[in-house]
Amino acid sequence: MKRERKRDRVRQIIAVFIKHGVTKGLKDPANLRRAFEELGPTFVKIGQVLSTRPDIIPPAYQKEFQKLQDTVEPESFEKIRAAIESSLHRPLESVFPVFDPKAIAAASLAEVHRATLTGGEDVAVKIQRPNAKKTILNDIAILRLLSRFFKIGPLFDVVNVQDVLNELEKNIQLELDFLKEAQNIRQFSRNNRDVRCISAPGVYDACTTETILVMQYIEGIKIKDIATLDAQGYDRQDIGVKLANNYMKQIFEDGFFHADPHPGNILVSGGQIVYVDFGLMGTLDKWTRKRLNDLFRGIAANDVDMMTEAIMRLGIQKSAVDIERLHDEIALFYEKYIAASFDALNIAELSKEMFRICRKNGIVIPKEVTMLGKGLLTMESVLASISPEINMMTISANYGVRQFLHGENVRQQVAEILRNAYQSGSLGVKIPAKLFRLVDKMQAGGFTIKVRDPERDRFLHRVDRMVNRAILCVLISALLIGASILLHTGATGRWNGFSWLGMAGYGCAAVLGIFLLIGILRSN
């Protein structure tokens, strides 16, 4: 029965892909988005996750996937009750004497209900949809199988789809582990315990499992509800500045930031900004934070050299990088997007252009940095809705400069300068002795210079392959001509009326021809 269901799902996916032209090669990414919408919640979730990864999908697909919205009905209360009792191994009423059967929020993977614990605490209960994990992982497995047979247009020309699906599966596994999300909430709360204006809901560990997350219920105003904020006397400019500065703290000081700060995940309650939904969090190690700091300082100081070096150190170089070309492109990028009007920068355009330059120059930006770019972009849109005069890039650059001028950072910079000066001085002392040894070698005739040019080696390899194929073509032609002469003259022994030596010549030519054809197809 399970195999039959899987076959039905495969047939359904193929039918929808054919309907929207996915199997013939897409020219319009909107067709793939429509196919995902028709295939249901799991494909919607796949598209939403991919929309946050400009490093692995082209901008046109990313923009289209950002339009995907969860439009799912909540599960029946009977299924929710069964899921809770199966996970907690207790009757629902023994844990939640009061439980609202109507969901207050529903998405493709989980839904949230309001409830009361036996101690009277008001809580929000996040429940993973029954079979959600199994269903979405099965769909990813089917996509992995189908990707070997169908080409999704230009998407396959620029990304390794198997790598994308592997990354997607890893992200889904993390997002569906509610114990990990509970850990994220605790770490975020520890990092911000001294920040009075920032808060997160408490977690009730006793009744939290891998598929159920029980949190403090927060009665608050959604940050996009401008009318209510104004009616209750909140200063939106003050909220925006505090929100932006705290996000910079999450990035540069904590190295642990909310990667999905959209308006539905931020509330204002009791004079505090409260983050909710910690399923998607980003982490930045000390080295990455330092490079990001250098990048923002380079932007603020109009230092293209510092920006180029920061990007080189920040990214992963998949091939040899032409540093001069990269420097020139960053200089043009700076003049076009930053120098002219720093206060009017658009992070969306900035990020898109930066990723394009990196891809063009063979530099892969780490996943954590792309998550940061998505988070900054989302935060910028939140700030634009509550206080349009706040500029996220200005705050980012100013924060980077403040961090640099912080006492500890200054000491670190001075220590690094002194260390580099000492190393340079030590090397300088050794240079004369090394030069004398070099001159001695040259005079003794024991000095050789080796030059390696990868492009030249590849060119010679291609020429060698072409010559071999030409020789093989000549040999095949000679065999065909010789065999034809033998068959025509009958100069050798015959078999069934044909010259056996001539037939052997045709056979050898056929084998060599097939071998040549296979070699050409493989190289193409």
Side-chain angles (χ1 to χ4, degrees), residues 204-241:
Y204 294 88
D205 293 319
C207 38
T208 291
T209 68
E210 189 176 332
T211 57
I212 295 175
L213 176 60
V214 181
M215 303 166 286
Q216 171 191 5
Y217 181 80
I218 305 294
E219 191 80 59
I221 308 165
K222 287 187 177 180
I223 200 160
K224 64 180 179 180
D225 189 352
I226 306 300
T228 306
L229 288 173
D230 290 343
Q232 296 197 13
Y234 282 103
D235 183 344
R236 287 189 280 120
Q237 171 80 8
D238 182 59
I239 291 173
V241 170

Side-chain angles (χ1 to χ4, degrees), residues 505-520:
Y506 276 128
C508 290
V511 170
L512 290 174
I514 291 170
F515 176 76
L516 177 62
L517 181 61
I518 290 171
I520 292 171

Side-chain angles (χ1 to χ4, degrees), residues 441-457:
K441 276 192 175 183
M442 292 175 69
Q443 289 175 339
F447 181 75
T448 58
I449 298 176
K450 294 181 180 179
V451 178
R452 177 178 170 81
D453 183 356
E455 288 297 326
R456 171 181 164 276
D457 292 342

